[in-house]
C-alpha cells in the first residue's frame, strides 16, 4: 500500500502540499480508490490547477452548515422535475427551449481559500454548466453587458451638473479588468501629483460575502431603477435589441420597430441572433431568475431567497448594477445639494467631496480609493457628513471592511505604489498571491508542460498572452521586463524551447515601438538580462 504509506508519513498538522515523486502503476489503482473513498476532490481558490483532497465528513459539514446557518437558503420539497419544467415553460414563452444539456439543478460546492490567514476559509459556489437557468442567466448577462456601456453617460450627467466635465471623470466606478485602472492612475500622475508633495493615501475595501448579503427585493428594485434611468436617456426608444453571444452597444428601437409577440422578439436577423427587451420584459426575466435560484446538495434541494448565486452567468453583473445604482444615487444627492441655492453654504464642501471621489474604482466587491478623506465617513447611506442632506453610499445590509491601507496597496493582480524617485506619483507592479505565503509553499502549476497534449500554437501562445496582459497592467518598466523573463524561465522549466520563446518576445517588443518610452531593443535586452540572472 505505497500510497497509504506516503500519506501516513505526512505530518498531521501539514496544511500545504509538496511534490511527491511517484511512478504510478496499475497495481496502485486499488490503493488510490481506497484513499479517495472518504475524500472529496476540489480545486483551490486562486489556484484552480491545484487539486485538494478534503475529508468527506468535514466537507459535507461545512456545506450543510453554510446552507442552514443563515437566511440565504430555504429547503424545498417539490421535485426537481417540476423546477426544470417551470424553466422550460418560461423559455418557450420567450422563444428558446432547454435541451438535454440544460436540465440540471446547480450543485452547491465549497473550494478552499488557502490564501486566507490565519485560518483558511471556504468559498461556496453554485456550480453547473448545464443548469436549467443557464440560458436565462446567459441572456441577461449579455443584456447587462450591453447596457453597462450606457452607464458612464449617467455618471457624466451628474458630474457635469457639478462643474466637472472632463471626459476621464465622466465614468462609473466600475472596472471590468485591472487594465482599466491604469488610465485613472495616469491622470493622477499628470494632473494631481504635480500639485502636491504629500504621498497619496491608498485604501482598499472589501464587501464581505457580497453575493449573499444583498437583499433580493432591494436588488431587483435597485437594478430596475438603474435600467429605467438608462432607458430614459433615449426619450424616443422604449425597447433594446441585443446581439446574442456578442458584447456590443445595445440597439435602441422605437415601438413601430418591435415585433408584437414575445416569441417573435427573439430570432435571427440584422446579421445574427437577437433578442428584444423593454423595461417590463427585463423585470419579468430578472424576477424569474431571482425567484428560481435552486441548488442541490446530496439529495436535498434548496432555494436561494437572498442575494444571487456565485457561479451563475450574470452574478457579477447583478452585483455591479446593484452597487452602481447606490453609487449613482449618492452622486445624484450631492448634485441636488450642489444645485440647491438654499444650501449654497455647502457648495464648497460638496465640490471637495465630489473631486475626492474622482479617484474611486471598484472591481465587483473590491473598492479602491486614492486620497479620499471622506469615504470612511460616507460608506453607508445611514451616515451623513456635516449636514443631513450629505448622505453616504451603501446600504447597511452590506458589510464593507478595510482590506489594506497606506502608501502601497495590493489591488487585484497589481500592487499600487509610489513611483521610484517621486513622492506623489504612482506606479504599478505585478502582484501574485501565489508568490506569497501560504500559497507560495504550495505546488501550483501556472502554465502547461511541453509534453501536454495540446498544440504548440496554444502552448507558445502563453508567451503572447502574458506579454499583452503584463504590458497593460504594469506601469514600472523594470517590473515588466523582470516578469516577462520570469514567464520564459517558468516555461523553460516545463520543457519549452527558449529560442522560440525569445523570438516571440523580440517580435512583440518591436510591435510596440513606444512601450515604456524607450526603444524596443532596450526592452528586449532587459528581458534577456533578467532571464540570464535567473540561471
Amino acid at each position: 500500500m505505497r500510497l497509504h504509506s506516503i500519506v501516513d508519513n505526512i505530518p498531521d498538522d501539514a496544511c500545504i502540499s509538496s511534490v511527491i515523486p511517484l511512478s504510478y502503476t496499475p497495481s496502485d489503482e486499488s490503493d488510490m480508490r481506497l484513499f479517495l473513498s472518504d475524500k472529496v476532490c476540489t480545486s483551490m481558490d486562486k489556484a484552480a490547477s491545484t487539486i485538494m483532497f478534503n475529508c468527506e465528513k468535514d466537507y459535507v459539514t461545512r456545506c450543510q452548515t453554510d446552507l442552514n446557518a443563515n437566511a440565504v437558503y430555504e429547503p424545498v420539497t417539490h421535485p426537481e422535475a417540476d423546477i426544470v419544467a417551470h424553466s422550460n415553460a418560461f423559455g418557450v414563452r420567450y422563444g428558446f427551449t432547454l435541451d438535454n444539456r440544460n436540465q440540471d439543478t446547480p450543485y452547491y460546492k465549497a473550494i478552499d481559500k488557502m490564501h486566507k490567514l490565519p485560518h483558511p476559509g471556504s468559498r461556496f459556489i453554485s456550480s453547473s454548466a448545464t443548469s436549467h437557468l443557464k440560458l436565462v442567466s446567459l441572456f441577461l448577462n449579455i443584456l447587462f453587458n450591453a447596457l453597462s456601456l450606457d452607464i458612464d453617460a449617467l455618471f457624466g450627467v451628474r458630474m457635469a451638473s457639478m462643474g466637472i466635465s472632463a471626459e476621464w471623470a465622466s465614468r462609473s466606478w466600475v472596472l471590468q479588468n485591472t487594465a482599466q485602472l491604469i488610465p485613472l492612475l495616469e491622470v493622477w500622475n499628470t494632473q494631481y501629483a504635480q500639485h502636491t508633495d504629500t504621498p497619496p493615501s491608498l485604501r482598499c475595501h472589501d464587501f464581505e460575502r457580497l453575493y449573499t448579503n444583498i437583499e433580493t427585493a432591494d436588488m431587483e428594485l435597485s437594478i430596475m431603477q438603474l435600467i429605467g434611468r438608462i432607458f430614459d436617456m433615449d426619450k424616443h426608444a422604449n425597447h433594446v435589441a441585443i446581439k446574442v453571444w456578442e458584447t456590443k452597444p445595445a440597439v435602441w428601437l422605437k415601438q413601430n420597430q418591435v415585433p408584437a409577440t414575445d416569441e417573435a422578439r427573439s430570432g435571427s436577423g440584422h446579421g445574427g441572433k437577437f433578442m428584444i427587451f423593454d423595461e417590463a420584459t427585463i423585470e419579468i426575466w430578472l424576477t424569474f431568475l431571482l425567484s428560481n435560484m435552486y441548488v442541490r446538495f446530496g439529495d436535498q434541494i434548496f432555494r436561494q431567497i437572498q442575494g444571487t448565486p456565485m457561479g451563475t452567468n450574470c452574478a457579477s453583473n447583478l452585483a455591479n448594477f446593484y452597487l452602481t445604482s447606490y453609487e449613482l444615487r449618492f452622486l445624484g444627492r450631492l448634485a441636488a445639494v450642489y444645485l440647491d441655492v438654499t444650501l449654497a453654504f455647502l457648495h464648497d464642501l460638496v465640490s471637495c467631496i465630489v473631486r475626492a471621489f474622482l479617484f474611486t474604482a471598484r472591481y465587483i466587491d473590491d473598492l479602491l480609493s486614492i486620497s479620499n478623506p471622506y469615504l470612511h465617513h460616507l460608506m453607508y447611506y445611514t451616515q451623513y457628513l456635516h449636514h443631513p442632506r450629505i448622505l453616504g453610499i451603501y446600504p447597511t445590509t452590506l458589510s464593507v471592511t478595510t482590506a489594506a491601507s497606506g502608501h502601497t496597496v495590493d489591488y487585484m493582480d497589481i500592487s499600487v505604489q509610489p513611483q521610484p524617485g517621486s513622492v506623489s506619483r504612482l506606479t504599478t507592479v505585478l502582484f501574485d498571491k501565489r508568490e506569497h505565503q501560504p500559497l507560495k509553499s504550495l505546488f501550483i502549476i501556472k502554465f502547461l508542460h511541453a509534453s501536454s497534449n495540446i498544440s504548440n500554437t496554444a502552448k507558445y501562445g502563453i508567451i503572447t498572452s502574458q506579454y499583452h496582459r503584463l504590458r497593460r497592467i504594469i506601469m514600472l518598466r523594470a517590473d515588466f521586463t523582470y516578469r516577462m523573463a520570469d514567464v520564459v524561465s517558468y516555461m523553460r522549466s516545463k520543457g519549452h524551447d527558449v529560442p522560440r520563446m525569445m523570438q516571440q518576445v523580440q517580435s512583440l517588443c518591436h510591435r510596440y515601438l513606444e512601450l515604456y518610452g524607450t526603444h524596443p531593443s532596450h526592452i528586449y535586452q532587459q528581458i534577456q538580462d533578467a532571464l540570464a540572472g535567473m540561471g
Side-chain angles (χ1 to χ4, degrees), residues 413-433:
D413 54 351
I414 58 174
S415 180
V416 183
Q417 59 187 46
Q419 189 179 99
S422 173
V423 174
S424 56
R425 292 170 65 88
L426 294 170
T427 191
T428 62
V429 299
L430 187 70
F431 172 70
D432 189 341
K433 288 182 179 179

Side-chain angles (χ1 to χ4, degrees), residues 382-399:
T382 53
Q383 298 173 288
Y384 69 86
L385 185 66
H386 297 310
H387 192 278
R389 289 282 297 277
I390 302 179
L391 294 171
I393 311 170
Y394 302 110
T396 54
T397 52
L398 302 180
S399 176

Side-chain angles (χ1 to χ4, degrees), residues 171-217:
R171 59 167 191 89
S172 73
W173 300 353
V174 176
L175 301 174
Q176 300 298 331
N177 50 59
T178 312
Q180 291 185 349
L181 178 62
I182 304 304
L184 191 64
L185 299 179
E186 291 174 340
V187 170
W188 171 269
N189 288 341
T190 57
Q191 298 190 25
Y192 284 78
Q194 58 187 338
H195 301 300
T196 179
D197 294 326
T198 304
S201 174
L202 307 174
R203 191 174 293 270
C204 291
H205 298 273
D206 178 62
F207 291 81
E208 292 187 343
R209 296 201 70 166
L210 172 63
Y211 291 95
T212 52
N213 279 340
I214 299 174
E215 291 186 346
T216 303

Side-chain angles (χ1 to χ4, degrees), residues 61 66 117 173 203 234 261 351 378 397 504 508 523 534:
T61 299
D66 194 71
L117 293 175
W173 300 353
R203 191 174 293 270
D234 192 329
T261 64
S351 182
L378 293 169
T397 52
Q504 283 181 263
L508 288 163
I523 298 287
M534 294 175 183

Side-chain angles (χ1 to χ4, degrees), residues 127-342:
S127 178
S128 176
T130 56
S131 167
H132 60 89
L133 280 179
K134 180 178 180 179
L135 291 180
V136 174
S137 184
L138 189 62
F139 291 151
L140 279 175
N141 197 49
I142 297 168
L143 173 67
F144 288 139
N145 284 337
L147 293 179
S148 65
L149 300 176
D150 294 311
I151 291 178
D152 284 347
L154 293 173
F155 278 75
V157 169
R158 281 149 182 78
M159 301 306 288
S161 70
M162 293 180 280
I164 299 173
S165 57
E167 183 178 350
W168 68 268
S170 302
R171 59 167 191 89
S172 73
W173 300 353
V174 176
L175 301 174
Q176 300 298 331
N177 50 59
T178 312
Q180 291 185 349
L181 178 62
I182 304 304
L184 191 64
L185 299 179
E186 291 174 340
V187 170
W188 171 269
N189 288 341
T190 57
Q191 298 190 25
Y192 284 78
Q194 58 187 338
H195 301 300
T196 179
D197 294 326
T198 304
S201 174
L202 307 174
R203 191 174 293 270
C204 291
H205 298 273
D206 178 62
F207 291 81
E208 292 187 343
R209 296 201 70 166
L210 172 63
Y211 291 95
T212 52
N213 279 340
I214 299 174
E215 291 186 346
T216 303
D218 186 39
M219 174 164 57
E220 183 175 348
L221 178 63
S222 298
I223 290 175
M224 288 311 305
Q225 287 177 345
L226 178 59
I227 289 174
R229 292 189 176 98
I230 295 173
F231 271 77
D232 289 342
M233 285 194 299
D234 192 329
K235 301 297 183 181
H236 304 292
N238 51 19
H239 288 71
V240 59
I242 60 167
K243 286 286 190 69
V244 178
W245 321 126
E246 296 182 16
T247 303
K248 291 185 177 180
V251 178
W252 294 93
L253 305 175
K254 299 178 182 179
Q255 185 64 47
N256 60 6
Q257 298 174 294
V258 180
T261 64
D262 289 333
E263 294 85 350
R265 293 182 184 180
S266 63
S268 298
H270 309 290
K273 178 78 174 175
F274 68 92
M275 298 196 76
I276 299 174
F277 294 88
D278 57 10
E279 281 189 69
T281 305
I282 295 174
E283 186 169 12
I284 291 170
W285 279 57
L286 184 58
T287 300
F288 182 84
L289 176 75
L290 298 178
S291 301
N292 291 275
M293 299 182 298
Y294 295 91
V295 294
R296 182 180 68 249
F297 188 73
D299 58 358
Q300 286 185 293
I301 295 178
F302 298 82
R303 186 171 77 91
Q304 186 166 345
I305 56 177
Q306 178 169 306
T308 183
M310 180 182 291
T312 192
N313 294 82
C314 64
S316 60
N317 267 323
L318 290 175
N320 267 335
F321 270 56
Y322 176 72
L323 294 179
T324 297
S325 71
Y326 276 93
E327 292 153 2
L328 187 65
R329 275 179 268 178
F330 167 67
L331 292 177
R333 290 192 295 269
L334 290 178
V337 173
Y338 186 89
L339 298 172
D340 191 335
V341 295
T342 66

Side-chain angles (χ1 to χ4, degrees), residues 46-93:
K46 310 300 181 187
S49 62
T50 301
I51 301 299
M52 298 194 64
F53 298 104
N54 292 266
C55 167
E56 182 178 0
K57 183 178 179 180
D58 174 71
Y59 180 86
V60 170
T61 299
R62 277 188 286 150
C63 289
Q64 287 182 333
T65 299
D66 194 71
L67 284 166
N68 295 304
N70 48 52
V72 176
Y73 297 94
E74 64 176 11
V76 298
T77 57
H78 42 275
E80 184 176 3
D82 291 351
I83 297 172
V84 175
H86 188 47
S87 293
N88 250 322
F90 183 84
V92 169
R93 176 182 173 185

